Structures are given as C-alpha cells and as structure tokens.
Amino acid sequence: MSTFIAGLALGLSLIIAIGAQNAFVLKQGIQRHHVFLVCFICALSDALLISAGVAGFGVLVKQFPNLEMIARYGGALFLVWYGLRSLYSAWKTNHALTPQGNSNSSAWHTALLCLAFTWLNPHVYLDTVVLLGSISTQYEPEKLQFALGAMTGSFLFFFSLGYGARLLAPVFRHARAWKVLESAIGMIMLLLAFKLII
C-alpha cells in the first residue's frame, strides 16, 4: 500500500503545476463543454505514458534524443498557434455569453485539441515516461502498484480540475472575466512555447 501511495503522491506532484494542458482542461470545465471527454483523454493518456515508462520506454527515449527534439519543436509550434488564437479571441470575440454557451466546438475537434495538448508536450514524456519510469525501478518488485498509484493520481487530478472548474462559472458570466482568462491562457501558451525552444 505504501508503494501505491508513493506513486499517487509523485503522480500528483508532477501534474499539479499550471501548464498548457491544465489550462485547457480548466477552460473546458468552466465552459462545461465536453468535460468528461477532455478529462478522460488526459487521464488515459497519462496512464498509457506511465505504463510505457514503467515498462522501460524511458530507456528508448534516452537512446534517441531526436524524439525529444521533434516533440519540443512540434509542441512549441502548436502552443504558439493556440496562444495567438486565445489572444485574438480575448481581443475580438464577444464573450457576453454564459459559460455553457461560450463554445461550440464539436466533440471530435475538442478531442483532437486535447490530444495535441497532451502528446505534443515534451514535458509529459520527461515527467511520465522518463522520470516516473526511472523512479519506479526503486520499487521492484512492486512497480505495478507504483504505476497504479501514479495513474490514480492522474485520474483524480484531471477529473477534479475539469468538474471543479464549474465552481468558477458565476465569475465567468461576465464578458471581462472571459477576456482576462483568454489573455492569461494566451500568454501562458506563448511563454511555454518560448521555454520549449530556448
């Protein structure tokens, strides 16, 4: 049980920082737009990456550093595009709608965006595959319990963030709040893109 708790604690500590993926989940939660789908994709992706790390994929990533470089530049391009899109929305879009009606993206489009935020982020590979994978070796022969703890942390975090965000909904009934959120998300995305390429 202590191995499971160790995995849970480490998994939560790695994903709790505000990043592109978390900002996207927060926005979808406030809008109450495909929340379950977004939370499930994020958590399941984490679970797959954690499984790969614990199974030894981290060694492969270390042997082929070009994989990390490709993910880094691809992720930076995506973050720049999304950041500029958010800033444009903050400047031009009429946000005088309720959170529930503020987005009309299809489930398919939302899922693709969510997958991009997850799989084009090189930090997710470093955290889940390399770091968790290497730490899991300390818990032989209970690596499975460690991995299950880390996966549970991902599911707890993303579903709490996605569904807890609706508590902020009264604030976002005002157009100015949406403009501030879109501006903040845009700046976070551009800052993260800059950090990826320096």
Side-chain angles (χ1 to χ4, degrees), residues 4-36:
F4 178 88
I5 298 297
L8 176 67
L10 183 59
L12 284 171
S13 68
L14 289 175
I15 60 175
I16 205 161
I18 291 295
Q21 185 188 47
N22 294 350
F24 178 71
V25 174
L26 179 67
K27 181 179 175 183
Q28 294 299 119
I30 291 169
Q31 292 175 328
R32 301 183 188 184
H33 190 69
H34 302 302
V35 180
F36 180 84

Side-chain angles (χ1 to χ4, degrees), residues 1-197:
M1 189 64 176
S2 61
T3 303
F4 178 88
I5 298 297
L8 176 67
L10 183 59
L12 284 171
S13 68
L14 289 175
I15 60 175
I16 205 161
I18 291 295
Q21 185 188 47
N22 294 350
F24 178 71
V25 174
L26 179 67
K27 181 179 175 183
Q28 294 299 119
I30 291 169
Q31 292 175 328
R32 301 183 188 184
H33 190 69
H34 302 302
V35 180
F36 180 84
L37 177 66
V38 167
C39 294
F40 184 74
I41 287 173
C42 290
L44 181 62
S45 295
D46 258 17
L48 292 172
L49 289 164
I50 290 166
S51 299
V54 172
F57 187 70
V59 177
L60 186 64
V61 173
K62 285 181 179 178
Q63 288 178 345
F64 297 98
N66 284 343
L67 291 176
E68 190 272 335
M69 185 185 72
I70 291 167
R72 183 163 19 111
Y73 285 102
L77 282 172
F78 172 73
L79 290 175
V80 167
W81 170 78
Y82 195 87
L84 292 175
R85 185 172 169 253
S86 291
L87 292 174
Y88 179 81
S89 176
W91 182 256
K92 289 286 187 182
T93 304
N94 176 14
H95 293 85
L97 296 172
T98 62
Q100 297 93 318
N102 200 45
S103 179
N104 58 5
S105 296
S106 68
W108 178 247
H109 180 258
T110 301
L112 288 176
L113 272 178
C114 189
L115 287 167
F117 275 117
T118 302
W119 293 91
L120 290 178
N121 176 10
H123 293 298
V124 78
Y125 298 99
L126 295 175
D127 289 347
T128 58
V129 178
V130 178
L131 185 59
L132 277 169
S134 59
I135 291 174
S136 72
T137 59
Q138 301 173 18
Y139 293 94
E140 293 279 10
E142 299 178 329
K143 282 169 63 170
L144 179 60
Q145 287 186 36
F146 179 83
L148 289 173
M151 291 177 199
T152 301
S154 291
F155 275 89
L156 282 173
F157 175 78
F158 285 116
F159 278 91
S160 297
L161 179 63
Y163 284 98
R166 66 183 54 196
L167 298 174
L168 298 172
V171 174
F172 287 93
R173 296 197 186 282
H174 306 285
R176 185 179 297 275
W178 277 107
K179 288 185 178 291
V180 170
L181 179 68
E182 290 280 21
S183 298
I185 288 175
M187 295 305 293
I188 288 170
M189 301 302 171
L190 292 178
L191 180 62
L192 289 170
F194 178 71
K195 283 185 165 184
L196 283 179
I197 59 175

